[in-house]
Amino acid sequence: MINDRDTPRKMERVSRNQVETNERFYKIPKALFENEFYADMKLETKMAYAILHDRFLLSIKNNWIDKKGDVYLIYKNSDLQTILSVGEKKVISLKKELADFGLLEEERQGLNKPNRLYVGNINVDFEVIHRASPLGDKELSKRQARNCQNDRSRTSKTTAQEQSKRQSSETNLSETETNSFDEDEVNNNNNSKNSQQSFIAIGKIIQINPELRSVVQSLIPDLLLNEPQQAEIVVRALDRGYHFLTTELEKGNSVLTLQKQLQGVAAIKQFLLSVGYKQVDYMHDHLIDISQYGKYFTSGFENRLKIAITTSQSVSGF
């Protein structure tokens, strides 16, 4: 017997009338695909978010609004299983991932009552990491980016030298060479001066907060040597992150409190390292412009910290 699914079906194009009237779609926020923090989220989890978010109209209609004014959903796992064509374990896994990203909270209402689901807002402030091609050519790593920049620098210098040679027959050769040398010397002196200032700034930060020394040495040893100005931006972000975590711990944050029980006095430093490694690993695979390293580390790292202290994912990750 031939299954209907095995029979090719002629495609029917969407008409204007369908678009304007009876076509219904789930809306998936672009931020889930474009913003770097959500890059590791599974595609089916993003789809689950769209399905849950689509239920808000029904919630408003049923007046499912709590005393704080927050809208909640009533959506059984079995309903999600049916619409996604997956099993219960898969649905539980998808909901857990949404919770880990701060996009879903579930509250129990008591015996024989369905749980309330609260859907979180997408954070659209995360910046998109620039890619070599919008359609997905493989991204350059940090080392490749540095090599690429060096190649461009060498090419630029070679071109300048060739141009200088061509002009030598029309201009004074010694004057041309002297001007070129002076320009390079000024640039090199400026870069050296800026690098020295960055090293001094990093030293002062670590002197004030010695806990950062091992964190910095573990996370960005190459950056310290090759790009001290970018390293300074990263160290400042780590310093702010350390003080942020310390403050949250003093306020009684449950995730950090548990971490301190497990790790003792090294809790904050280990937490900082864990989140920092995740950001560094992600940037290693996606960032193509080393001059943007500090900026993107700061943005992603700070957002990862805020999410990490709201879930138990980071604790189990140690």
Side-chain angles (χ1 to χ4, degrees), residues 229-258:
Q229 290 170 267
Q230 296 302 313
E232 179 189 350
I233 300 174
V234 172
V235 172
R236 291 188 184 280
L238 290 170
D239 186 49
R240 288 194 300 272
Y242 186 91
H243 291 295
F244 168 73
L245 293 176
T246 302
T247 301
E248 289 297 316
L249 178 60
E250 292 173 353
K251 290 180 180 178
N253 179 275
S254 59
V255 174
L256 294 174
T257 299
L258 176 58

Side-chain angles (χ1 to χ4, degrees), residues 124-182:
V124 297
D125 293 332
F126 298 138
E127 296 191 60
V128 182
I129 284 187
H130 299 311
R131 299 178 184 273
S133 167
L135 294 181
D137 285 350
K138 187 173 182 180
E139 298 84 352
L140 299 177
S141 66
K142 291 186 298 183
R143 192 177 300 277
Q144 289 172 314
R146 191 177 296 115
N147 291 339
C148 192
Q149 286 181 321
N150 291 339
D151 289 341
R152 286 198 295 270
S153 177
R154 284 194 294 269
T155 301
S156 176
K157 289 181 180 178
T158 301
T159 302
Q161 290 171 357
E162 290 176 351
Q163 185 177 1
S164 177
K165 289 179 181 178
R166 287 197 299 269
Q167 293 174 339
S168 63
S169 60
E170 301 175 6
T171 61
N172 186 292
L173 179 60
S174 61
E175 181 182 350
T176 303
E177 289 177 341
T178 302
N179 289 341
S180 176
F181 175 79
D182 288 343

Side-chain angles (χ1 to χ4, degrees), residues 205 209 212 215 233-249 256 267-269 271-273 275-276 297-298 301-306 309:
I205 294 171
N209 188 358
L212 290 180
V215 176
I233 300 174
V234 172
V235 172
R236 291 188 184 280
L238 290 170
D239 186 49
R240 288 194 300 272
Y242 186 91
H243 291 295
F244 168 73
L245 293 176
T246 302
T247 301
E248 289 297 316
L249 178 60
L256 294 174
I268 296 296
K269 184 169 67 175
F271 202 100
L272 204 67
L273 267 173
V275 177
F297 177 88
T298 300
F301 176 71
E302 290 179 351
N303 283 302
R304 286 180 188 274
L305 274 185
K306 292 174 184 177
I309 65 169

Side-chain angles (χ1 to χ4, degrees), residues 199-239:
F199 278 126
I200 293 173
I202 292 171
K204 289 181 178 179
I205 294 171
I206 292 177
Q207 185 177 12
I208 295 173
N209 188 358
E211 290 291 323
L212 290 180
R213 182 181 299 276
S214 59
V215 176
V216 172
Q217 290 175 341
S218 298
L219 284 180
I220 54 168
D222 292 338
L223 200 70
L224 280 171
L225 295 175
N226 301 313
E227 301 287 343
Q229 290 170 267
Q230 296 302 313
E232 179 189 350
I233 300 174
V234 172
V235 172
R236 291 188 184 280
L238 290 170
D239 186 49

Side-chain angles (χ1 to χ4, degrees), residues 11-23 25:
M11 187 187 82
E12 295 181 2
R13 296 181 178 180
V14 176
S15 68
R16 176 179 176 178
N17 181 60
Q18 289 173 309
V19 172
E20 294 177 344
T21 56
N22 64 348
E23 283 289 346
F25 298 92

